[in-house]
Amino acid sequence: MYIVQIASECAPVIKAGGLGDVVFGLSRALERQDHAVEIILPKYDCMRYDHIWGLHNAYQDLIVPWYGQAIYCSVDCGWVHGRLCFFIDPHSNDSFFNRGCYYGCDDDPMRFAFFCKAAIEFLLITNKRPDVIHCHDWQTGLIPVLLYEIYKYHGMGNQRVCYSIHNFKHQGITGVNILWATGLNREDYYFQYDRLQDNFNPFALNLMKGGIVYSNFVNTVSPHHAWEARFSEIGCGLSHTLDLHHYKFGGILNGIDYDVWTPEEDSYIPAHFNPETFEKKAKNKTALRERLWLNHNDKPLVAYIGRLDQQKGVHLVHHAMYYALRRNAQFILLGSATEPGINSWFWHEKHFLNENPDCHLELGFNEELSHLIYAGADIILVPSNYEPCGLTQMIGLRYGSVPVVRGVGGLVNTVFDRDYDMTKTPDQRNGYVFYQTDFNALESALDRAIGLWHYYPDEFRELALQGMSYDYSWNNPATQYLGIYDYIRHK
Ligand code: ADP
């Protein structure tokens, strides 16, 4: 099959969040299953050029219609760790992608509307006719709209679109200008509830809604998050739209990159291990304690790795820290906060706990240290308020660290409570789950995990090994996406 991914990120060359990892990881898994994949991206000034091999000009005069006139673009091409990527580079005074950032500009909807228009023009002009165009998040929500309202009449009638939503929070709410800029024009036609009109603001267009309405299939990044988006406030106003289109909506769990996350080969950790050599994990715990100046004692190590913000349940992270210390455990936190209030809160805690030999807070982003923490910790905490998929619990499982998570989004689909899960047999369970957002709920789960470590070490070890036996690589998700691609091609 010939698949073109159109996205605003692709790791590691352009990465702001999980989206970049998905675009790269999925593309590689699809290629490993012998499918042809190309990726179209904006050419940002601030992307990691050192991760692109053989960057060269692939197309010189891409003329993109824009506001009844045109913007000239060139298209560069290169390989990002083996993936063939095309980078759209508009030559206009708007400097759409030369802003020193990926997102966060006032005219973001216009920047990415232009990207959509240019990407689809590029496909048209270069005679690329993929079986499936796979788009991601609001930034590319206009692709299926443009395809079905304009480009199918120009020889692109056979292309099908799969649209993946990674985050419902950002939907690309914008004004009428987008229609005039992209040549969609007909204001009355698009400002309809069953087309692009925002569900809250009748005077605004919603680009993500456009993606949902016009795509052949829509998914979010875990089955449970798909359910939440359709039936709860997690859908951020799009629940009804998803409900109307439920027949083409589902959830597919993300994978993690096994080339990066394999404790047997991880170059960032001192002691490699697998389920057969699980006892070597203890050496990583020792190395981690040495590195962070923690006591070597008979206590479990509880760790949190992640952004420090409301989504991640930051009040529960904070509570867990003190609760773990009280319950005879050690606690390590690796996280960064963008919100100033949360940032200063955790800096204060860091200073307050500085002398505590059972606790370490590392504030900032540190990829290398995160590997050692996954490998050295006994328990990984993920108390999120909402979590479309979540990678930390899957990485924790892979490294034999037992996850303690809140039962939301993708966490529900990946972590199964040792004591209470009804869907798995005891030998398939792999962690602890709590549901409410209060301290008692968190304590009940963390308490069980710490208690098992202290009083039933063999059973704790067994639980960690059961977690390691799960396959959360990209193989399964890629197969599921292929199933969807096949379905929409032949529908
Ligand atoms: P998000 O909502 O931030 O995308 P995910 O769980 O999907 O959350 O992915 C988080 C990823 O980022 C994981 O791979 C985690 O290890 C990594 N990560 C988060 N914070 C840090 C940090 N401070 N240092 C190193 N890695 C981090």
Side-chain angles (χ1 to χ4, degrees):
M1 212 183 300
Y2 174 25
I3 301 132
V4 168
Q5 307 251 8
I6 305 181
S8 54
E9 295 180 32
C10 175
V13 69
I14 308 163
K15 175 171 167 162
L19 165 62
D21 293 320
V22 173
V23 172
F24 180 85
L26 174 60
S27 301
R28 186 179 50 197
L30 292 169
E31 285 191 66
R32 284 181 178 167
Q33 298 192 26
D34 288 334
H35 299 280
V37 182
E38 293 173 355
I39 305 171
I40 303 181
L41 301 156
K43 188 178 174 197
Y44 302 98
D45 55 351
C46 55
M47 62 189 188
R48 294 282 305 269
Y49 285 85
D50 54 324
H51 283 287
I52 311 172
W53 278 264
L55 188 65
H56 63 277
N57 184 261
Y59 199 84
Q60 192 51 44
D61 292 315
L62 179 67
I63 302 168
V64 180
W66 194 244
Y67 275 117
Q69 299 182 341
I71 291 180
Y72 276 74
C73 300
S74 46
V75 182
D76 290 353
C77 160
W79 283 264
V80 174
H81 296 261
R83 312 283 78 71
L84 181 57
C85 296
F86 293 91
F87 299 93
I88 306 242
D89 185 9
H91 305 295
S92 95
N93 293 335
D94 298 299
S95 291
F96 284 128
F97 308 121
N98 298 326
R99 309 276 183 92
C101 61
Y102 302 138
Y103 313 122
C105 305
D106 288 343
D107 60 344
D108 275 0
M110 207 47 110
R111 295 168 67 215
F112 290 102
F114 180 80
F115 171 59
C116 290
K117 184 79 180 171
I120 204 161
E121 274 290 328
F122 176 62
L123 294 178
L124 179 74
I125 297 299
T126 53
N127 269 321
K128 290 181 184 292
R129 297 292 182 270
D131 299 301
V132 172
I133 300 174
H134 193 157
C135 304
H136 301 266
D137 270 352
W138 74 264
Q139 290 87 349
T140 52
L142 268 188
I143 294 279
V145 184
L146 291 165
L147 188 63
Y148 292 107
E149 294 290 359
I150 299 177
Y151 288 81
K152 84 167 177 205
Y153 302 107
H154 298 285
M156 295 185 71
N158 292 327
Q159 278 54 58
R160 297 287 174 266
V161 178
C162 175
Y163 182 57
S164 294
I165 298 176
H166 303 258
N167 189 343
F168 280 96
K169 266 249 160 102
H170 306 286
Q171 300 181 0
I173 311 289
T174 182
V176 66
N177 282 355
I178 294 279
L179 299 177
W180 301 112
T182 54
L184 287 166
N185 299 329
R186 294 175 291 164
E187 214 175 300
D188 293 344
Y189 179 76
Y190 292 107
F191 268 95
Q192 298 281 333
Y193 187 80
D194 57 357
R195 294 202 177 87
L196 267 69
Q197 185 183 54
D198 185 58
N199 292 354
F200 285 142
N201 180 351
F203 306 107
L205 294 171
N206 184 320
L207 302 183
M208 181 174 277
K209 181 172 169 182
I212 296 170
V213 171
Y214 280 85
S215 294
N216 302 94
F217 197 88
V218 183
N219 77 289
T220 184
V221 290
S222 68
H224 191 69
H225 192 60
W227 182 91
E228 290 171 335
R230 188 174 158 201
F231 295 113
S232 79
E233 75 291 345
I234 296 274
C236 299
L238 286 173
S239 297
H240 188 233
T241 306
L242 293 171
D243 202 43
L244 290 174
H245 294 272
H246 67 92
Y247 57 90
K248 60 166 189 178
F249 176 57
I252 298 181
L253 206 58
N254 285 338
I256 54 172
D257 188 340
Y258 275 25
D259 287 359
V260 176
W261 301 110
T262 294
E264 238 174 328
E265 296 165 356
D266 191 327
S267 58
Y268 291 130
I269 64 174
H272 294 161
F273 63 98
N274 61 28
E276 279 77 52
T277 55
F278 186 70
E279 65 289 347
K280 289 193 190 156
K281 182 174 161 72
K283 290 191 182 150
N284 295 306
K285 185 171 177 178
T286 306
L288 178 59
R289 282 171 157 168
E290 267 163 23
R291 174 157 173 182
L292 301 180
W293 302 88
L294 294 181
N295 264 356
H296 295 273
N297 50 23
D298 193 26
K299 292 182 182 182
L301 234 173
V302 182
Y304 173 82
I305 300 174
R307 291 182 287 116
L308 294 167
D309 66 15
Q310 296 305 343
Q311 180 197 331
K312 299 292 176 185
V314 77
H315 70 294
L316 291 178
V317 173
H318 180 262
H319 184 75
M321 207 158 64
Y322 285 97
Y323 184 73
L325 294 176
R326 247 188 12 244
R327 286 284 287 108
N328 219 9
Q330 295 184 316
F331 197 94
I332 293 176
L333 178 147
L334 171 62
S336 53
T338 44
E339 208 182 291
I342 296 177
N343 192 36
S344 49
W345 181 25
F346 275 86
W347 273 104
H348 170 81
E349 294 298 341
K350 181 178 169 63
H351 291 135
F352 182 70
L353 291 162
N354 202 26
E355 304 299 316
N356 192 318
D358 285 329
C359 188
H360 183 90
L361 276 65
E362 187 75 23
L363 301 178
F365 193 94
N366 189 333
E367 173 85 23
E368 180 214 342
L369 177 60
S370 77
H371 285 245
L372 184 58
I373 298 177
Y374 284 118
D378 298 296
I379 295 166
I380 288 283
L381 179 70
V382 194
S384 302
N385 268 324
Y386 73 92
E387 194 61 80
C389 174
L391 300 180
T392 24
Q393 80 282 11
M394 295 197 268
I395 304 171
L397 286 165
R398 178 100 173 126
Y399 282 71
S401 304
V402 171
V404 173
V405 307
R406 179 152 178 261
V408 288
L411 298 164
V412 168
N413 301 119
T414 47
V415 181
F416 309 101
D417 192 281
R418 177 182 182 273
D419 302 320
Y420 302 125
D421 192 274
M422 306 283 275
T423 62
K424 300 282 180 198
T425 56
D427 62 345
Q428 295 173 324
R429 298 175 189 170
N430 59 11
Y432 292 93
V433 184
F434 63 97
Y435 292 92
Q436 308 305 324
T437 51
D438 57 293
F439 294 160
N440 285 342
L442 167 90
E443 288 177 11
S444 74
L446 198 51
D447 199 39
R448 288 185 291 132
I450 293 173
L452 194 74
W453 190 95
H454 274 300
Y455 304 117
Y456 301 95
D458 290 345
E459 294 190 21
F460 189 90
R461 182 175 180 278
E462 205 48 45
L463 187 62
L465 285 171
Q466 281 169 203
M468 286 185 88
S469 71
Y470 274 81
D471 178 0
Y472 288 127
S473 70
W474 271 104
N475 291 338
N476 289 332
T479 305
Q480 288 183 48
Y481 276 110
L482 280 169
I484 286 171
Y485 297 165
D486 244 344
Y487 166 73
I488 58 182
R489 270 175 76 203
H490 297 116
K491 194 161 61 102

